Amino acid sequence: MKLVVLTCGMLPIPAVQGGAVENLIDFYLEYNDREKLHDITVYSPWDERLANHPALRSNVNHYVFIDVTSLKARIARKIYGYLHHNEYYNYFIEYYFEKVYSDLKKKDFDYIIIENGAGLAYKLSQRGYKNLILHMHNEVRKERSEYHKAVFGSFTKILTVSDYIKRKAAEYYPIEKIQTVHNGIDLKNFYRKEKPTVSRQDLGFTSDDFIMVYSGRINKEKGVSELIEAMLQLTEYPHIKLMIIGGTFFGNTGNEDDFVRSLKVKARPIEEKIIFTGFLSYDKMPDYLQLADTAVIPSVWNDPFPTTELEAQAMGLPIITTVQGGIPEEVSVDNAILLETDSQLTDHLAAAILELYHHPEKRSRMGAVSLERSKYFNKERFAQDFFAAIGY
């Protein structure tokens, strides 16, 4: 089969800037390269780090790169945005799509796989395309419901990352076309090493410290503010420490936004107990997670299927998290303390932290379950299920 993979173009593929969606695409492209299943054309924004990337040597995966960063491209984007108002996405994505489409319409293919781009599916359906496969990583935008109703007949299949997203998708799309494919991670990267590249002492921790780790994007929806508030309740426990890994957006190593600055202000009374590492590249994550005694991922929104939960499991960590979105599909009550996100979330977090702090034997049991559960969430199973779900 000849397939096309299309994203909204915010991050490049191969995933040299990270990104959960982009890493998943890499996983099934890697599997396709090994198994020689299909001829796949992938559209991606250009990044200088892609030059001579080994993935580009595949003879079954073909990469078409779109310039969105040169001075000429930036000017063209601005002009496009000025001339085209009130479209589904912002002008950056809309411009990228039109550049892709100018090449796509010249190609022969059997199906278009659209990664997390319901708006792009609408655009293609309006141009006569009926052979669309939508891979949904998030809920559809309710304020754009008229777009989703208009694209019903253009989908061959809809894949969702969780049953939670499947239920939400069924509000707009025919349920018989929807199938869940749970995400996976690279278990060859996420494992405990005998000699990790970073130590507790490197970060100012001691061997006696009880270290919690939060990893992921840092925004209000992820519950990081509530986690710091819980830490403020635990000042009488000097060895309870928190490591916060991540930035405001994938690959963002630059300036902090107002929310991150507000977190650091909130944490100032206990700044000796909280470390902000900033964004870490994907390959460094396991070594930092290995330093922790438990992972805390307190999402306060309906998180569709956060890969940070899978990464924490693979590192054998007990988890404190919430019942939001697809999270209960990733963990179990045997390896995670699942909290309601009510008005008492801060108190719930503090109590859960103390529960694991005071009971190392419970942490050990939960960690063992995490390791066992992680075996299902591997990238090979994900890729196999992905291609099986689209039926090719």
Side-chain angles (χ1 to χ4, degrees), residues 276-288:
F276 291 82
T277 70
F279 172 82
L280 294 177
S281 60
Y282 194 65
D283 62 309
K284 293 181 180 179
M285 284 294 299
D287 288 10
Y288 280 76

Side-chain angles (χ1 to χ4, degrees), residues 117-164:
L120 304 186
Y122 170 79
K123 281 180 167 291
L124 289 169
S125 72
Q126 296 304 295
R127 299 178 192 190
Y129 290 87
K130 300 291 185 182
N131 49 353
L132 307 180
I133 298 171
L134 178 63
H135 191 191
M136 293 182 62
H137 301 258
N138 292 291
E139 295 183 45
V140 296
R141 296 165 60 181
K142 292 182 179 179
E143 70 273 18
R144 294 286 196 266
S145 60
E146 71 276 11
Y147 290 92
H148 308 303
K149 293 174 182 177
V151 77
F152 277 168
S154 298
F155 288 130
T156 298
K157 194 80 175 184
I158 299 170
L159 309 184
T160 57
V161 299
S162 63
D163 289 334
Y164 169 78

Side-chain angles (χ1 to χ4, degrees), residues 241-256:
K241 306 288 180 68
L242 173 63
M243 176 171 52
I244 297 176
I245 301 174
T248 56
F249 189 71
F250 296 113
N252 183 0
T253 57
N255 296 330
E256 299 172 347

Side-chain angles (χ1 to χ4, degrees), residues 224-243:
V224 189
S225 181
E226 288 81 357
L227 177 54
I228 292 175
E229 289 170 7
M231 286 289 292
L232 288 167
Q233 294 185 19
L234 303 173
T235 55
E236 62 184 287
Y237 300 93
H239 286 294
I240 295 181
K241 306 288 180 68
L242 173 63
M243 176 171 52

Side-chain angles (χ1 to χ4, degrees), residues 314-327:
M315 297 304 297
L317 294 177
I319 300 169
I320 299 171
T321 188
T322 63
V323 294
Q324 296 292 99
I327 291 174

Side-chain angles (χ1 to χ4, degrees), residues 17 35 39 41 46 142 150 160 174 228 231 263 279 284 290 336 362 364:
Q17 289 186 33
E35 301 298 325
D39 185 276
T41 297
W46 172 248
K142 292 182 179 179
T160 57
I228 292 175
M231 286 289 292
L263 291 180
F279 172 82
K284 293 181 180 179
Q290 185 169 333
K362 183 173 184 177
S364 181

Side-chain angles (χ1 to χ4, degrees), residues 68 169 189 220 315 360 364-365 371 386:
V68 293
N189 285 339
K220 292 180 181 179
M315 297 304 297
S364 181
R365 289 197 304 270
L371 280 175
F386 179 86

